[in-house]
Amino acid sequence: MSRYDAVLLDAFGTLFELDDPFERLRRSLRERLALDVEPPTAERAFRAEMAFYQANCHSAGDVHSLAELRRRCGELLAGELGLGRPGEQLVPVLADAVSYRVYDDVPPALRAIADRGILIGVVSNWDCSLPDVLRGAGLTVDVAVDSASAKSVKPDPRIFLMALERLAVDPQRALHVGDTPAADGDGARAAGIDVRIVDRSGEPADSTIGSLEEIIPLL
């Protein structure tokens, strides 16, 4: 009998990472707007947009507020690049720049979890597009809960409990894996859920794991 009935997972930094976003941004600017931007400028502008998105993604809980958030992100990017263009023109540029690469250990780990009859949920500080992002990355899970739709931002334990409620699993029978000790670790523990922190730096500490496959013997 498995120790857990469900495994909850963070998304960004746990399941996938951005795939060469700075060069993708430069390429899209050339192709769509005929603009040649130097690499340091593209990186600085994209990082500023990322910080803005992370601070505001929780406001995008439906298609209308998501469209407005993307427009504002485009507007910020245009400002960072010194472009006198409306934000709407930069939205497709950002879409080109944002592509996710799934970590190599993730597909086999998800298969192993599912093969044991354990449910899989994703709990992430994200906008309402999270299910579409997971599908686009080729990841199949039983439930995905984003902070915008849930109106609960990690480390608030409610977002974890909402995922477990949808899975019909008690917190004592769940494990959460994420890459952020405060948001993932503190939040899941406050909900009564076991936690493992994944450190993909290549030098995990004794209290962390370096790969999702390391949780399989724990199940």
Side-chain angles (χ1 to χ4, degrees):
M1 182 177 177
S2 297
R3 177 181 177 185
Y4 301 108
D5 296 326
V7 172
L8 304 180
L9 300 157
D10 175 49
F12 188 75
T14 300
L15 298 177
F16 48 70
E17 63 182 347
L18 284 167
D19 183 12
D20 200 13
F22 313 134
E23 184 53 39
R24 286 178 181 273
L25 176 61
R26 295 182 67 227
R27 186 185 312 130
S28 184
L29 288 167
R30 286 195 303 269
E31 294 174 353
R32 290 185 179 273
L33 302 179
L35 295 172
D36 192 10
V37 176
E38 293 297 315
T41 301
E43 180 174 351
R44 175 186 54 77
F46 189 85
R47 288 190 182 279
E49 186 278 333
M50 282 182 62
F52 179 82
Y53 169 82
Q54 289 170 351
N56 293 277
C57 65
H58 319 302
S59 67
D62 56 44
V63 293
H64 301 294
S65 53
L66 178 58
E68 174 60 15
L69 174 61
R70 288 173 173 170
R71 185 198 65 77
R72 292 171 64 199
C73 287
E75 190 174 71
L76 182 136
L77 183 66
E80 290 290 329
L81 294 171
L83 306 178
R85 296 172 182 264
E88 290 85 349
Q89 289 190 12
L90 276 294
V91 171
V93 172
L94 276 172
D96 291 341
V98 177
S99 179
Y100 298 106
R101 187 189 74 81
V102 174
Y103 294 115
D104 292 340
D105 60 299
V106 170
L110 294 186
R111 286 195 296 270
I113 295 168
D115 286 347
R116 285 163 171 76
I118 298 171
L119 298 171
I120 301 171
V122 171
V123 178
S124 181
N125 287 344
W126 208 280
D127 62 61
C128 63
S129 71
L130 178 61
D132 293 333
V133 170
L134 295 170
R135 282 191 291 269
L139 301 176
T140 300
V141 300
D142 296 292
V143 68
V145 180
D146 63 271
S147 57
S149 301
K151 296 180 173 57
S152 169
V153 181
K154 294 187 297 185
D156 183 352
R158 289 178 298 170
I159 189 171
F160 299 94
L161 295 174
M162 183 177 294
L164 292 183
E165 182 178 358
R166 294 183 185 178
L167 294 169
V169 172
D170 291 333
Q172 297 81 4
R173 297 285 299 170
L175 170 69
H176 176 69
V177 183
D179 68 308
T180 308
D184 293 301
D186 295 348
R189 291 188 190 96
I193 301 168
D194 283 351
V195 180
R196 293 295 185 278
I197 298 298
V198 60
D199 180 354
R200 296 188 178 279
S201 68
E203 299 179 356
D206 291 340
S207 60
T208 64
I209 58 175
S211 162
L212 289 193
E213 292 181 295
E214 293 182 41
I215 71 170
I216 303 307
L218 307 176
L219 304 179

